[in-house]
Amino acid sequence: MSEVESPAATAPLSTAPLSTYETSAAVIAGREAAFEARGLTKIYHMGEVDVQALRGIDLALYEGEFVVLLGPSGSGKSTLLNILGGLDIPTAGSVRYHHHDLTAAGESALTRYRREHVGFVFQFYNLIPSLTAEENVALVTEISTSPMRPDEALRLVGLGERLHHFPAQLSGGEQQRVAIARAVAKRPSVLLCDEPTGALDVRTGIVVLEAIERINRDLGTTTVVITHNASIADMADRVISLSDGRISGVKHNTTKKSPHELEW
Ligand code: ADP
């Protein structure tokens, strides 16, 4: 069961002064906003041509929330995710992660923000082929302040029996789960996933989504998953649809499906 809200339903919140917005957001959601974005605009200059990737996004994402960003290719999903993750900055507008103003931050502050708070998972796993699963995860834990042990992170994604395997000895889904373990081993408060099942078959994709769901549920990690697959939306707390650089819909799922119940 789900209930559909038009984007206009969120408009009074997003146009209110920040302090009022913070208060009402806390009351409405019963929890704190992790991210607040206002008027996010991104224009890429390609020679003579300007590509407008985001056209004024107003958005709040809440602590511990599982959000699916849904939309066709080219609708601005990756651009938005990269801005939330401090990999890119908007052309105009503002975005805040708690007290961090990501718009005003310089390169070194953004690097620190990413290192301390954000785990990324991409469509392609980017594992180092000459290192085992455990060593790939250890690359991150060695430079983190209070990480999990690599084997602990790998157990969390169901790979406790694959610690000493090299990437070439793992299936695509297992490699993606190593990448998820690597992203969460530093205990980030935010997990940003860009098409994490895009390269996987359905059955493998479900196992990967189960790993992401478990992290969101067990660690309370605020999780954003990009997909163009509408079925994955059923496992989210909230589905934000993008179309041509704008939010075209926001849907709250009153009941969430577990990944093995998804059909696509
Ligand atoms: P999605 O993730 O929904 O597929 P993107 O955010 O990747 O969409 O892209 C939105 C628009 O911005 C597209 O038209 C894309 O071609 C353009 N775009 C994205 N990244 C760049 C870039 N680095 N340089 C130029 N144009 C870009």
Side-chain angles (χ1 to χ4, degrees):
M1 271 205 346
S2 62
E3 126 200 351
V4 178
E5 275 181 14
S6 73
T10 59
L13 288 181
S14 56
T15 51
L18 210 55
S19 54
T20 313
Y21 177 66
E22 274 179 330
T23 315
S24 50
V27 170
I28 288 166
R31 49 186 164 175
E32 201 181 338
F35 288 97
E36 294 194 17
R38 296 298 180 85
L40 274 192
T41 302
K42 180 71 184 181
I43 300 170
Y44 292 106
H45 303 289
M46 300 290 290
E48 298 290 292
V49 183
D50 283 350
V51 178
Q52 187 142 17
L54 298 179
R55 299 170 185 268
I57 300 276
D58 295 324
L59 183 66
L61 300 177
Y62 297 97
E63 279 282 290
E65 195 176 25
F66 192 126
V67 171
V68 161
L69 270 187
L70 191 65
S73 179
S75 56
K77 305 182 298 295
S78 298
T79 302
L80 177 58
L81 198 82
N82 290 344
I83 292 174
L84 295 176
L87 288 172
D88 204 349
I89 50 170
T91 310
S94 65
V95 59
R96 230 175 45 180
Y97 172 73
H98 292 294
H99 58 279
H100 301 272
D101 181 346
L102 303 182
T103 331
E107 194 46 55
S108 65
L110 280 183
T111 303
R112 203 166 52 245
Y113 160 70
R114 289 195 300 268
R115 196 171 55 219
E116 291 175 3
H117 299 288
V118 189
F120 290 99
V121 175
F122 297 102
Q123 180 172 352
F124 299 105
Y125 330 118
N126 305 316
L127 301 177
I128 297 183
S130 58
L131 300 181
T132 64
E134 191 173 28
E135 289 164 345
N136 265 283
V137 177
L139 280 182
V140 171
T141 57
E142 281 161 11
I143 57 164
S144 309
T145 39
S146 59
M148 297 176 203
R149 291 194 321 271
D151 65 302
E152 196 187 336
L154 285 160
R155 275 179 230 290
L156 195 61
V157 298
L159 290 179
E161 307 301 313
R162 296 285 188 276
L163 303 182
H164 307 300
H165 283 57
F166 290 92
Q169 299 169 320
L170 296 169
S171 70
E174 288 171 336
Q175 290 182 58
Q176 186 60 299
R177 284 187 282 151
V178 175
I180 294 168
R182 181 183 55 187
V184 300
K186 63 180 179 184
R187 303 182 195 278
S189 33
V190 181
L191 181 63
L192 303 178
C193 309
D194 194 342
E195 294 278 5
T197 62
L200 303 172
D201 61 73
V202 173
R203 188 198 293 253
T204 313
I206 285 171
V207 179
V208 165
L209 292 171
E210 280 172 341
I212 294 172
E213 183 198 49
R214 188 175 321 132
I215 284 150
N216 171 255
R217 195 183 54 229
D218 294 358
L219 306 182
T221 313
T222 305
T223 304
V224 183
V225 174
I226 284 186
T227 184
H228 57 261
N229 181 342
S231 332
I232 294 178
D234 290 343
M235 65 181 281
D237 292 308
R238 203 152 56 109
V239 186
I240 297 173
S241 297
L242 285 191
S243 173
D244 196 20
R246 293 191 177 87
I247 294 182
S248 55
V250 179
K251 187 180 104 172
H252 290 263
N253 285 328
T254 48
T255 46
K256 295 196 277 185
K257 284 191 177 168
S258 67
H260 70 266
E261 295 173 305
L262 301 178
E263 288 166 19
W264 78 74

